[in-house]
Amino acid sequence: MRIRFEKDLPFLLFALVCASTVAALPQVESAWSGVKEVYGEQDFGLRILRELMLLLLVAYAFFEPRLRNGALSSTVLAFLAVVASYVLFEIGYALYLDLPLVVPMAGLRIFEYLPLALIGFVTSRLGAGDYIINRFAHYLRYYIALQAVLAIAQALWAPPLFGVSFFGGGRPFGTFVSPNLFGATMATCALLFALVPGMRKWVAVSVFLALLSGSRTAFISSLLVVYFQIYAVVRPRDRWALVMPAPILAVGALLLASSPLLSGRDDADPTQDGRIDLWQRVFSEQMHGPADLLFGWGLGLSSNTINVLYGAEYFKGQFDSDSLYLFLLNGYGLIGLLAYLLFLWTTTRTSVHPNKGLVVMFILVAGLTFNMWEYFPQNAILMYLWGMVLGTGYQSASAPVQAETMFRPSRF
């Protein structure tokens, strides 16, 4: 059997994302009936399908010679060795702090979909990145159509378990455990559609669903996609008119997203947000010296995975970070946080992708009040996009991939 990733990989990525439609069925059924499940007491249902699809993708990359050879290059292996060395140090440090092994292992969840970043990096180096994203986006339309039907039905008739939508029903959650995860995924799909020519109506649909979710992070992230779309069509000499008011627009977007009309909640005032009180309490109670600042004070203590498995406050010092950056500071210290930001900056410096600014800014903003690397399928899509964008800066000129056929988008 002959395998070619240009043909197979888009469908495999689509199948991975589609695993989210059944992974949380017990929680979706409970939410439809008006019952919110408690952390530590959830039925995990078919979530194993996500891991099985990921394993299938990794196995496919291993058996496809070009993907395997690209992923096992000296540059990639050296990078992975540096990351693995520091991660092993943090695991050892967490054990030194008398944390059970399961806690630091949960802190590794952010690396679960790193293979997708490597696959995206290699495909982009081989010159097939845009072609694969194009085909993946056209498959993804069917996923968005399904989520749109469910979301509108939920916004009309679901019980207001998470708040009230502006359609009169509950905040929609699609096939996810909460509206926030649904909105984050829709905003990420809007980002992906924005990278493909001729997909603006699907950008609009995804942005609408992100808005309908009532999630502030999803709303601001999707508006970021719209902002870059407008920026791209404006003449270069006139772009200053968009850049100058950007900070004011960002504050206005935050206030608008926090209004009861869009958020569906009366407790979404950003000046009284529980996250701010949580962050202040964590810094005052759990950071006790330079070692805690540099290396963190317990890898995994702020992981949502621990909350889901064991419930809140099961381990001493456990908390829900509600921010990727607080999660990194807690688990990997200032060294890990700066390394992450440096890698984002390196992506913008080395990549030649025309939309690198949008992708990097989206990743940067999405992590402010959300640890997106722990939530599927947003983490899977973003990992692949990040790797693809970075790979353009290391594209091989000697062996570019020639697509078998030019993909013609349908009118669906």
Side-chain angles (χ1 to χ4, degrees):
M1 180 180 65
R2 186 180 182 185
I3 58 176
R4 291 186 61 84
F5 70 79
E6 300 95 333
K7 175 175 64 73
D8 303 328
L9 193 55
F11 181 77
L12 289 174
L13 291 171
F14 175 66
L16 175 65
V17 171
C18 284
S20 66
T21 61
V22 295
L25 277 180
Q27 288 75 34
V28 173
E29 292 174 355
S30 295
W32 265 107
S33 61
V35 178
K36 183 183 292 187
E37 294 200 357
V38 180
Y39 278 162
E41 302 176 8
Q42 294 184 352
D43 179 354
F44 287 95
L46 299 174
R47 296 187 186 185
I48 190 64
L49 288 178
R50 303 178 306 188
E51 282 66 34
L52 292 177
M53 280 304 307
L54 178 62
L55 286 175
L56 178 61
L57 263 168
V58 172
Y60 179 88
F62 178 80
F63 287 109
E64 216 289 350
R66 291 170 295 169
L67 293 180
R68 181 178 67 246
N69 294 336
L72 297 179
S73 65
S74 58
T75 302
V76 173
L77 291 178
F79 169 76
L80 293 178
V82 172
V83 173
S85 298
Y86 188 72
V87 168
L88 287 174
F89 166 78
E90 286 292 352
I91 293 175
Y93 187 60
L95 296 178
Y96 169 76
L97 296 175
D98 294 329
L99 290 175
L101 180 60
V102 67
V103 176
M105 293 305 291
L108 303 183
R109 177 77 187 281
I110 61 173
F111 296 108
E112 181 178 2
Y113 291 90
L114 182 60
L116 292 183
L118 295 178
I119 293 174
F121 177 79
V122 174
T123 57
S124 189
R125 284 195 66 189
L126 294 173
D130 289 337
Y131 178 76
I132 290 173
I133 284 295
N134 191 305
R135 295 197 62 182
F136 178 35
H138 282 79
Y139 287 139
L140 200 63
R141 297 171 304 169
Y142 302 99
Y143 177 79
I144 292 296
L146 171 64
Q147 297 293 343
V149 171
L150 290 174
I152 292 174
Q154 291 162 353
L156 289 171
W157 301 300
L161 185 64
F162 306 100
V164 181
S165 76
F166 49 74
F167 282 176
R171 289 174 60 197
F173 44 87
T175 58
F176 297 84
V177 299
S178 75
N180 289 341
L181 302 188
F182 167 72
T185 301
M186 295 303 101
T188 306
C189 290
L191 169 66
L192 189 144
F193 288 130
L195 304 182
V196 179
M199 303 289 283
R200 288 183 180 174
K201 69 178 180 180
W202 291 99
V203 173
V205 171
S206 302
V207 170
F208 168 74
L209 294 176
L211 169 65
L212 190 61
S213 73
S215 167
R216 287 172 293 182
T217 303
F219 177 68
I220 294 173
S221 298
S222 58
L223 286 186
L224 183 67
V225 174
V226 175
Y227 177 86
F228 272 84
Q229 290 281 92
I230 297 174
Y231 183 87
V233 300
V234 172
R235 293 180 301 179
R237 68 180 184 180
D238 296 331
R239 288 175 178 171
W240 63 269
L242 289 175
V243 175
M244 294 295 291
I248 299 176
L249 293 175
V251 174
L254 176 61
L255 295 176
L256 180 62
S258 302
S259 66
L261 175 64
L262 294 184
S263 68
R265 297 176 295 166
D266 296 324
D267 59 347
D269 186 346
T271 63
Q272 302 176 359
D273 191 54
R275 285 188 177 94
I276 298 176
D277 293 336
L278 167 68
W279 297 340
Q280 291 176 341
R281 187 173 69 253
V282 166
F283 286 133
S284 62
E285 296 178 358
Q286 300 193 31
M287 188 178 293
H288 301 299
D292 289 344
L293 176 63
L294 288 176
F295 307 115
W297 58 91
L299 175 60
L301 282 177
S302 59
S303 171
N304 183 66
T305 303
I306 287 294
N307 287 337
V308 171
L309 292 175
Y310 296 96
E313 300 180 357
Y314 186 86
F315 298 101
K316 182 180 179 181
Q318 178 186 343
F319 67 99
D320 194 349
S321 62
D322 273 333
S323 169
L324 170 65
Y325 303 107
L326 181 55
F327 172 87
L328 291 174
L329 191 62
N330 159 241
Y332 297 93
L334 185 61
I335 295 175
L337 174 59
L338 292 179
Y340 177 80
L341 296 175
L342 176 63
F343 195 54
L344 279 175
W345 178 82
T346 302
T347 301
T348 63
R349 298 293 296 177
T350 59
S351 174
V352 295
H353 195 280
N355 290 302
K356 64 181 181 181
L358 170 58
V359 174
V360 171
M361 186 62 69
F362 187 99
I363 293 173
L364 189 68
V365 170
L368 291 175
T369 57
F370 203 67
N371 185 2
M372 70 285 192
W373 299 127
E374 280 197 301
Y375 295 108
F376 179 84
Q378 185 186 31
N379 50 7
I381 299 174
L382 284 180
M383 276 289 186
Y384 183 84
L385 292 180
W386 191 358
M388 185 206 70
V389 169
L390 178 62
T392 59
Y394 301 88
Q395 198 166 100
S396 172
S398 60
V401 171
Q402 300 296 328
E404 294 177 294
T405 58
M406 292 297 294
F407 184 79
R408 294 184 178 90
S410 69
R411 295 182 179 275
F412 172 60

